[in-house]
Amino acid sequence: MENVAGLLASAKQKQTHTPLILRLNNHSDKAIFKALIKEGKVSFVHDEMYGQLQEFVKSKNPAIKIKKEDYPALVEAHLAGTDINEYGVWVYYPWNQELVHLLDEEEFIEVRTNRNRYKITKEEQDLLKTKKIGIVGLSVGQSIALTIAMERTCGELRLADFDTAELSNLNRIRTGVRNLGINKTIIAAREIAEIDPYLNIKIFNDGLHAGNMDDFFTGDGKLDLFVEVCDGLDVKIESRFKARELGIPVVMDTNDRGMLDVERFDLEPQRAILHGLADGLDPHNIKDLTNEEKIPYILRMIGADTISTRLKASMLEVEQSINTWPQLASSVTLGGALTTDICRRILLDQYHESGRYYIDLEDLVKDAEKKIDEEVHTANPYLPIEQSAIKRVADEYFTNAKAADYKISESDLNTIVDAAIAAPSAGNNQPWKWFFSKNILFLFHYKYRSWSWGDYYEMGSHMSLGAALENVHLQSAALNLKDDIELFPLENEPGLIAAIRFSAAGTLADAATINTARHLYTRHTNRKLGKRQKLNADFYLQLQQLVGKFDNVNFYFTEDENELAELAEIIAECDKVRLLNKLGHEEFYHELRWNRDEAEKTKDGVEVASVDITQSEIAGFKVAGDWKAIELLAGWDKGDAFKKMSLKAVKSASAIIVFTIPEFTHAQLINAGRAVQNAWIFANQQGVSVHPMLSPAFFFNRLIHGHGEELGNNVADKLSLLRKRFLKIFPLISGNNGDQREVFLMKVAIGGDLGIKSLRKDKIDLFCADNL
């Protein structure tokens, strides 16, 4: 009996997932059986042997309708004199101290799989019994393992996971609260043992890694199939290389949209890992990648464009309002069914393809689609400007105005136009078309390029046009020319912004003027982050003097840390409002260029590389490109992730500068644009970086001047509160300069890496001449 105690201790301590199978016709087993009961190690005895024998007899006589009164004799005949209490096996489960009386292996399997016939034939079931399946990742893999066990798709399961069960896992892992803190592999193995104690279960409690990879794949016989459902990119890659090396097929379930991956390395030994989506990665170089560097590969692997709308929305809330991405029991359970079905057909030589498949219940079972009328205001109401239309307007101008007397040289004209098209514009949309006729340079507002919902009252466009006019002025002065700018020369043609006549300056430009003109081309938007540093007080004094030269344009700034922190929140909230608005969202992504190739094709927009942004943040913005996902966030009143970039940007600001005008008119907006451009060039000359942060100005003017047009009550109320906070920092109402309208905000900071400079469209697209 001393050995009995040792066996019990071993079962309790070392094999906590393995039941004891006791046959009472064996002396040692009978001794253990008695000791278990005697020592109080059994808390519950379950003996349904008679019912199992009834089922077995019935399974052997399917063509006969056996009456209830016939079963005793048939069972007795089957027992052939054996005491029913000693027939079959007694299974002891140490973890719950339960003792269960079961049929022995062959008869147990016969009865337990009887309802599989003929979806699975007896011969197929026998073949499956010889197969070995490995599963790594037990959050999703538990459902797969249990379904495989219930269907008896194999005879051996190898389970790998280093993690233990937490309360938050119980939304998808089938287990009770008594198992919290227990390793997931043990939980799954115990669950399977309680379904079928004859299945061989091997567990790897420290997960799958280089140290146990060989044992997992080939120990006690090579795996016939590998199921990979873990989170770690390293394991995904390393395990697939191992599977391919050994010619083992791989199946992966993602529990979103019923996505299932199959890689038949047994039939395609040279097949690219993950269908080629992991090209460039191998078990060696993946160890050198940081988590940030892994992001682009993960995006490709999961198919960021194809994940469900709710998962996209949820991913954007990770580390905002939730800790990690969601997984639902229904999706995990569906994955268990899909994976088991595929595994069975692979092992039975009934399915031979590789590929990625979707069994998307939301797409398959849904309401009839309703036709939604297109919102007419989302379409650009303007058409590209034809040169004939430009010439017609110019000819109309000349009906009441004569040609310019001074004939500018072709060289000077081209230099001036080059300077003009180097000006900054909102989203780098370049809202101008230049036309030269009869010695006059005309500036047209190219509304087809600049139209956007966010550009309320075309304020951004007109300030950009003002910046271009200032470039004309500064470059002309450097060429010893005077420029006479006539704004809005035709009342009935608001698209004609200016007519510019040139004349000789009479004096040569000084060195400062020439130097300023050179900086027209080095002026730069710097969206890179840096450390907050105070600027010299002289910088603001000189800037104030520059801005003071422009009528009706005023200048305010703050470098107070508390005020900057408050402004960061205000700006970030306004940026969030933009991205949670359908049109604002559409326009943001319309002007975004993911790489240089995209920028080269359009030669407009803003490149992602110009922003100080991490790979994970880029991944987030790509996921956020799906408006349906963002619409969900807007409905949930979430989306704080959209504030992060603005918060970080202002955190590194030396100051925030605000430009204002007393009257919200296009003429004053143009003048403000000229003042901003002058200030911008000066700042860059001093080694100070500039980053426009315009959403508060655009939204606050839509709120006040536009009476909240197209904002919605909730958004308008939010913006009203934000503007009140803004006015506490910048008291623009009834101040020394009277009521002022904020029209431009810029962050200034000590510049570091300038990043990528935005491209400009070819000159031929922006400038034309009549008989130059």
Side-chain angles (χ1 to χ4, degrees):
M1 294 302 294
E2 293 177 4
N3 291 334
V4 172
L7 284 169
L8 291 175
S10 176
K12 184 74 175 176
Q13 295 172 13
K14 295 181 182 178
Q15 300 179 36
T16 53
H17 70 286
T18 305
L20 281 173
I21 298 177
L22 305 172
R23 294 175 175 85
L24 299 193
N25 59 6
N26 178 284
H27 176 74
S28 297
D29 286 1
K30 194 165 189 175
I32 293 173
F33 179 83
K34 289 180 178 179
L36 286 169
I37 295 171
K38 182 179 179 181
E39 296 177 16
K41 301 294 185 183
V42 177
S43 61
F44 182 80
V45 177
H46 190 76
D47 187 353
E48 271 292 312
M49 178 54 71
Y50 186 78
Q52 295 171 58
L53 286 168
Q54 280 185 306
E55 281 199 275
F56 181 75
V57 168
K58 185 178 180 181
S59 72
K60 289 299 184 182
N61 301 278
I64 301 173
K65 192 172 184 65
I66 302 173
K67 296 178 181 177
K68 186 178 181 180
E69 58 268 25
D70 295 335
Y71 275 112
L74 291 170
V75 169
E76 191 69 28
H78 180 74
L79 287 171
T82 303
D83 183 350
I84 193 171
N85 292 316
E86 295 191 357
Y87 190 83
V89 302
W90 285 88
V91 182
Y92 178 66
Y93 296 99
W95 50 89
N96 56 22
Q97 295 190 326
E98 292 184 358
L99 194 60
V100 184
H101 198 183
L102 297 175
L103 294 171
D104 213 336
E105 184 171 3
E106 186 176 338
E107 292 179 351
F108 178 90
I109 294 172
E110 170 64 30
V111 174
R112 201 176 79 75
T113 62
N114 186 261
R115 295 295 297 273
N116 287 351
R117 309 291 179 269
Y118 284 99
K119 286 196 170 185
I120 304 173
T121 67
K122 178 69 166 62
E123 294 73 22
E124 289 170 340
Q125 200 80 64
D126 290 342
L127 176 61
L128 291 172
K129 183 181 175 182
T130 68
K131 302 298 183 181
K132 299 176 176 65
I133 296 177
I135 302 175
V136 59
L138 270 296
S139 283
V140 173
Q142 192 221 33
S143 176
I144 296 169
L146 293 182
T147 309
I148 285 173
M150 284 189 285
E151 201 170 276
R152 228 174 195 278
T153 305
C154 65
E156 180 179 311
L157 274 168
R158 298 175 192 170
L159 309 176
D161 198 312
F162 60 85
D163 209 358
T164 57
E166 299 175 333
L167 184 58
S168 60
N169 296 145
L170 300 196
N171 76 318
R172 62 196 184 280
I173 292 182
R174 185 190 180 281
T175 193
V177 291
R178 69 185 182 281
N179 286 326
L180 294 177
I182 296 176
N183 194 284
K184 292 175 182 177
T185 54
I186 292 175
I187 293 171
R190 288 176 175 180
E191 189 81 27
I192 292 168
E194 292 179 16
I195 294 168
D196 189 334
Y198 301 109
L199 278 169
N200 187 23
I201 308 297
K202 294 184 176 180
I203 64 173
F204 294 75
N205 284 341
D206 54 349
L208 189 59
H209 50 77
N212 65 12
M213 192 83 68
D214 287 335
D215 189 27
F216 182 85
F217 277 95
T218 60
D220 296 325
K222 189 179 82 169
L223 287 179
D224 296 287
L225 190 143
F226 174 53
V227 177
E228 185 278 297
V229 280
C230 69
D231 294 334
L233 180 61
D234 297 33
V235 177
K236 286 181 181 292
I237 299 303
E238 291 169 19
S239 63
R240 277 175 172 77
F241 270 82
K242 191 67 176 179
R244 186 171 68 177
E245 173 192 326
L246 297 169
I248 298 172
V250 178
V251 179
M252 177 181 75
D253 165 65
T254 62
N255 70 90
D256 180 66
R257 294 191 61 217
M259 192 188 97
L260 198 73
D261 260 7
V262 183
E263 297 166 271
R264 294 303 303 268
F265 297 129
D266 54 327
L267 303 179
E268 304 171 74
Q270 302 304 317
R271 182 175 181 82
I273 299 295
L274 277 162
H275 320 300
L277 298 172
D279 281 354
L281 290 181
D282 61 49
H284 304 293
N285 65 22
I286 194 170
K287 299 180 188 300
D288 299 325
L289 298 181
T290 64
N291 287 337
E292 284 293 327
E293 290 169 336
K294 291 175 183 176
I295 293 292
Y297 294 101
I298 294 171
L299 278 178
R300 289 210 305 267
M301 289 177 198
I302 66 172
D305 294 337
T306 57
I307 61 178
S308 68
T309 303
R310 286 209 171 224
L311 182 56
K312 288 177 183 176
S314 301
M315 287 175 69
L316 295 169
E317 284 301 303
V318 171
E319 296 184 353
Q320 298 297 318
S321 61
I322 55 176
N323 292 321
T324 186
W325 62 86
Q327 295 173 301
L328 295 179
S330 53
S331 300
V332 170
T333 303
L334 174 64
L338 298 176
T339 305
T340 299
D341 181 87
I342 293 298
C343 290
R344 182 186 71 250
R345 290 194 283 134
I346 289 174
L347 294 175
L348 293 177
D349 198 30
Q350 296 171 351
Y351 166 68
H352 309 92
E353 299 296 321
S354 295
R356 176 165 285 185
Y357 307 92
Y358 293 89
I359 301 88
D360 187 351
L361 291 182
E362 287 192 28
D363 185 55
L364 295 170
V365 185
K366 60 184 178 181
D367 289 335
E369 292 185 2
K370 297 177 181 178
K371 186 176 180 181
I372 301 173
D373 293 333
E374 189 69 24
E375 296 179 67
V376 294
H377 66 282
T378 62
N380 190 333
Y382 300 104
L383 295 173
I385 300 178
E386 299 291 339
Q387 186 167 337
S388 57
I390 289 173
K391 189 174 187 312
R392 177 188 59 76
V393 174
D395 288 344
E396 183 180 345
Y397 170 82
F398 286 119
T399 60
N400 294 307
K402 64 177 184 176
D405 296 327
Y406 183 85
K407 182 174 174 56
I408 188 173
S409 71
E410 186 174 342
S411 173
D412 284 351
L413 175 63
N414 278 308
T415 300
I416 289 169
V417 173
D418 288 341
I421 63 181
S425 54
N428 191 29
N429 59 26
Q430 302 163 62
W432 38 68
K433 187 78 171 184
W434 299 89
F435 179 65
F436 185 73
S437 179
K438 300 180 180 179
N439 295 324
I440 295 177
L441 181 61
F442 294 96
L443 170 58
F444 286 84
H445 182 184
Y446 202 151
K447 297 190 179 187
Y448 178 75
R449 286 206 196 103
S450 68
W451 177 84
S452 74
W453 174 81
D455 189 17
Y456 172 71
Y457 191 62
E458 300 175 338
M459 59 180 291
S461 302
H462 282 83
M463 284 190 288
S464 300
L465 294 164
L469 286 172
E470 185 60 18
N471 276 14
V472 168
H473 172 72
L474 294 172
Q475 185 61 72
S476 297
L479 294 171
N480 306 313
L481 295 173
K482 291 175 68 175
D483 57 307
D484 179 14
I485 299 174
E486 182 185 4
L487 286 181
F488 304 111
L490 290 178
E491 189 175 333
N492 63 331
E493 290 288 351
L496 176 56
I497 300 299
I500 308 167
R501 297 167 182 263
F502 299 97
S503 59
T507 58
L508 295 177
D510 58 23
T513 301
I514 295 171
N515 186 48
T516 298
R518 289 198 189 103
H519 278 83
L520 298 179
Y521 301 96
T522 60
R523 182 215 52 82
H524 203 102
T525 299
N526 190 348
R527 300 178 180 88
K528 298 293 185 177
L529 304 178
K531 285 187 176 181
R532 177 172 293 172
Q533 299 179 52
K534 284 223 171 195
L535 302 180
N536 192 300
D538 287 343
F539 171 78
Y540 299 108
L541 289 173
Q542 292 180 69
L543 208 56
Q544 186 81 59
Q545 291 171 0
L546 270 176
V547 174
K549 296 177 181 177
F550 294 87
D551 293 339
N552 298 315
V553 182
N554 288 294
F555 162 99
Y556 303 83
F557 75 94
T558 182
E559 53 184 354
D560 178 85
E561 289 203 4
N562 292 328
E563 291 182 343
L564 289 174
E566 176 72 343
L567 280 170
E569 277 293 329
I570 294 168
I571 294 167
E573 284 289 348
C574 289
D575 285 339
K576 175 182 167 183
V577 167
R578 180 191 184 191
L579 283 164
L580 293 182
N581 176 281
K582 183 178 181 181
L583 291 177
H585 177 272
E586 180 182 321
E587 290 163 5
F588 175 84
Y589 281 93
H590 176 72
E591 69 185 38
L592 201 60
R593 302 292 177 263
W594 295 108
N595 51 56
R596 196 66 171 182
D597 287 343
E598 282 190 11
E600 288 283 1
K601 287 178 183 176
T602 61
K603 295 188 176 179
D604 60 8
V606 178
E607 286 183 65
V608 168
S610 70
V611 184
D612 232 332
I613 187 171
T614 65
Q615 288 296 330
S616 59
E617 287 168 337
I618 292 174
F621 273 108
K622 286 190 174 180
V623 169
D626 184 348
W627 166 248
K628 290 183 178 179
I630 306 310
E631 190 174 27
L632 288 173
L633 291 183
W636 301 334
D637 194 24
K638 302 298 181 185
D640 279 354
F642 294 132
K643 296 165 55 176
K644 287 171 67 177
M645 283 177 56
S646 302
L647 291 171
K648 286 198 301 183
V650 180
K651 190 175 182 180
S652 65
S654 299
I656 295 291
I657 297 174
V658 178
F659 295 83
T660 68
I661 53 178
E663 294 181 25
F664 198 63
T665 66
H666 286 155
Q668 289 202 6
L669 286 165
I670 286 173
N671 209 35
R674 297 188 65 173
V676 167
Q677 177 68 344
N678 238 293
W680 198 330
I681 293 167
F682 170 76
N684 286 176
Q685 283 178 299
Q686 306 306 308
V688 175
S689 292
V690 171
H691 178 185
M693 310 195 84
L694 303 177
S695 58
F698 282 30
F699 278 122
F700 292 164
N701 281 293
R702 179 182 287 274
L703 178 72
I704 305 303
H705 184 268
H707 307 291
E709 177 185 316
E710 295 183 308
L711 285 176
N713 291 335
N714 289 341
V715 173
D717 290 344
K718 177 184 283 189
L719 289 171
S720 292
L721 293 174
L722 290 172
R723 189 164 192 262
K724 285 179 182 178
R725 291 163 64 182
F726 181 83
L727 291 175
K728 287 183 179 179
I729 301 170
F730 299 112
L732 307 180
I733 305 299
S734 298
N736 293 334
N737 297 313
D739 289 356
Q740 296 287 306
R741 292 286 178 80
E742 60 276 22
V743 293
F744 199 96
L745 278 73
M746 65 165 62
K747 162 198 163 184
V748 291
I750 297 299
D753 175 20
L754 293 179
I756 292 176
K757 189 173 176 66
S758 296
L759 298 177
R760 293 294 185 270
K761 288 185 174 293
D762 293 334
K763 190 174 181 178
I764 195 172
D765 295 323
L766 304 172
F767 170 68
C768 55
D770 183 19
N771 299 321
L772 185 65

